Amino acid sequence: MNEITESQDQRSAAVSLRGISKLFDDVTAVDSVDLDIGDSEFFALLGPSGCGKTTTLRMIAGLEIPSAGSLQIFGEEVGSLPPNKRPVNTVFQNYALFPHMSVVDNVAFGLKMRKIPKSEISTRVHEAISLVRMTGMEDRRPNQLSGGQQQRVALARALVNRPKVLLLDEPLAALDLKLRQEMQFELKQLQREVGITFVFVTHDQEEALALSDRIGVMNDGRLLQVGTPEEMYDAPIDRFVADFIGRSNFLKATLESAEVVCLANGQRIRVPQVDAVSVGDEVQVSLRPERVMIGDLDSAPHDSAQLSGTVETETFLGNSVVYRVALDWMTIEVEADHRPDVERYHAGDRVDLWWRDDAVAVVRP
Ligand code: ATP
């Protein structure tokens, strides 16, 4: 029964990887990755430099051949197909536009190579240019365009081929912060408009959170966790994921039962149900700084986890204040709102900390 369900899932996935690995000499760039990316999904592969995300994308594109495993696109095994025989297109970080060609000619290039009739080329090129809001700039060359405009041309050039899956390798990395934020918004709009699957590689966690339907976090060639942005932030299962997406405190603990851990100071606290680790295992409790309440135990549920400590430092960030609070067994970072009705603490103050049971996640160390 399970096998049938799995093969049906695989068929409905836009991109399906099973045990995909890639070795370059003695370097394991990608290590046995299993992943299904849904039709029309905006999926981000997120991880630090060298984690294997680009190599994974290049294998989907057909630019690298897997050393092991199976790779399907809409149910078809594509492992041995060259890039131009796959229903995918790639947008690279450096755009790779032809500098001597106009916008129109850049966008039309692939269709001309495929000997598509002229009238169809013209219609499709103008559609694609309009989709990326570049109408009116058809005759410009890349050096007459801003970075954001060049990026749009690169997107139009990929979309004009009507791929079923668009692969994007850090497409916004070359843009300055403000433009990047604008383009993030536009990219998401564009994906909704064209309705195809986008697989997006980035090392920028905020970008991944802002854009994606789901995120896969990679490290050292391995895919550690896949989930919606909220799942990845609220319920990481691995310390690396909790640390890479947002900031976190990590409290050493031992799992005593599915819903109770014993902290390193001997205190028992309740935690959301844990499946990824076994009772008796050493774990870490991930506690986001903004989920820790400081002071005013009156508003704490009577059975909530509570600790006391001394403020070591305070850092004012405008909308919030970050306190480092020394306990006698570790230091905890707390982020409190900066508002007139929220008490402000200073170095040396004794404070109480508390949090709701569901504010924490138990992660693999
Ligand atoms: P970045 O964000 O820096 O591009 P990445 O997460 O995309 O990093 P990859 O480019 O996939 O990582 O590289 C994964 C590992 O494989 C790295 O250790 C890298 O040095 C190695 N690697 C990638 N391509 C090759 C190659 N053609 N030959 C040898 N080693 C390679």
Side-chain angles (χ1 to χ4, degrees), residues 24 27-30 47-56 64 170 201 203:
F24 294 107
V27 176
T28 305
V30 176
S49 181
C51 71
K53 54 195 189 298
T54 299
T55 304
T56 305
E64 299 285 356
E170 305 244 9
V201 158
H203 62 267

Side-chain angles (χ1 to χ4, degrees), residues 53-287:
K53 54 195 189 298
T54 299
T55 304
T56 305
L57 195 82
R58 288 174 62 81
M59 287 193 280
I60 301 171
L63 300 166
E64 299 285 356
I65 303 299
S67 311
S70 129
L71 205 163
Q72 296 188 353
I73 299 180
F74 286 99
E76 187 190 357
E77 188 65 42
V78 294
S80 54
L81 289 183
N84 61 356
K85 295 276 187 273
R86 300 184 184 202
V88 304
N89 268 101
T90 309
V91 177
F92 297 99
Q93 181 179 341
N94 60 7
Y95 318 141
L97 299 177
F98 299 115
H100 57 287
M101 284 188 195
S102 67
V103 167
V104 166
D105 290 339
N106 262 287
V107 177
F109 185 78
L111 299 182
K112 283 187 185 159
M113 288 290 105
R114 283 163 50 201
K115 308 254 187 305
I116 305 277
K118 267 192 180 159
S119 60
E120 187 182 339
I121 293 183
S122 170
T123 312
R124 282 169 65 170
V125 166
H126 286 100
E127 259 173 32
I129 288 176
S130 150
L131 203 55
V132 298
R133 295 167 186 84
M134 286 291 287
T135 305
M137 303 201 193
E138 288 86 348
D139 297 329
R140 294 208 195 167
R141 296 208 171 156
N143 66 3
Q144 295 172 309
L145 300 172
S146 70
Q149 290 165 340
Q150 289 180 41
Q151 180 56 261
R152 285 167 213 230
V153 179
L155 281 166
R157 196 177 54 174
L159 290 169
V160 80
N161 296 310
R162 300 191 177 151
K164 288 185 174 171
V165 179
L166 187 68
L167 306 172
L168 303 114
D169 190 1
E170 305 244 9
L172 308 181
L175 306 177
D176 66 43
L177 181 65
K178 194 150 173 8
L179 192 54
R180 198 156 74 225
Q181 285 167 343
E182 273 172 43
M183 282 298 290
Q184 280 177 8
F185 177 71
E186 287 196 18
L187 207 53
K188 182 134 186 158
Q189 292 268 92
L190 184 65
Q191 194 263 344
R192 296 282 178 261
E193 249 170 86
V194 293
I196 62 170
T197 306
F198 276 30
V199 185
F200 180 90
V201 158
T202 182
H203 62 267
D204 181 336
Q205 47 116 351
E206 278 183 21
E207 195 158 279
L209 290 174
L211 282 172
S212 327
D213 296 318
R214 284 191 311 151
I215 300 172
V217 171
M218 291 188 73
N219 191 33
D220 271 343
R222 289 180 310 120
L223 183 64
L224 299 178
Q225 187 175 353
V226 176
T228 63
E230 288 81 2
E231 283 164 355
M232 302 300 275
Y233 191 83
D234 294 341
I237 58 170
D238 188 282
R239 178 178 171 142
F240 182 87
V241 175
D243 212 17
F244 199 74
I245 298 186
R247 293 202 326 274
S248 217
N249 295 290
F250 294 102
L251 286 61
K252 276 191 188 167
T254 311
L255 192 66
E256 290 212 332
S257 72
E259 290 179 358
V260 176
V261 299
C262 180
L263 297 179
N265 66 344
Q267 188 174 343
R268 285 186 175 73
I269 63 164
R270 282 203 316 266
V271 292
Q273 175 132 11
V274 184
D275 300 319
V277 281
S278 311
V279 169
D281 282 358
E282 300 276 303
V283 293
Q284 306 245 348
V285 175
S286 161
L287 178 58

Side-chain angles (χ1 to χ4, degrees), residues 247-252 263-265 267 269 284-295 305-315 321-336 349 351-355 359-360:
R247 293 202 326 274
S248 217
N249 295 290
F250 294 102
L251 286 61
K252 276 191 188 167
L263 297 179
N265 66 344
Q267 188 174 343
I269 63 164
Q284 306 245 348
V285 175
S286 161
L287 178 58
R288 301 284 186 200
E290 76 280 8
R291 303 256 164 107
V292 188
M293 305 295 142
I294 183 164
Q306 294 169 8
L307 296 167
S308 302
T310 306
V311 174
E312 262 182 2
T313 59
E314 51 177 313
T315 309
V321 184
V322 174
Y323 300 104
R324 282 178 64 80
V325 178
L327 315 177
D328 49 13
W329 54 289
M330 69 174 295
T331 300
I332 287 196
E333 211 169 85
V334 181
E335 184 165 2
D349 287 351
V351 290
D352 293 312
L353 308 178
W354 62 272
W355 61 86
V360 298

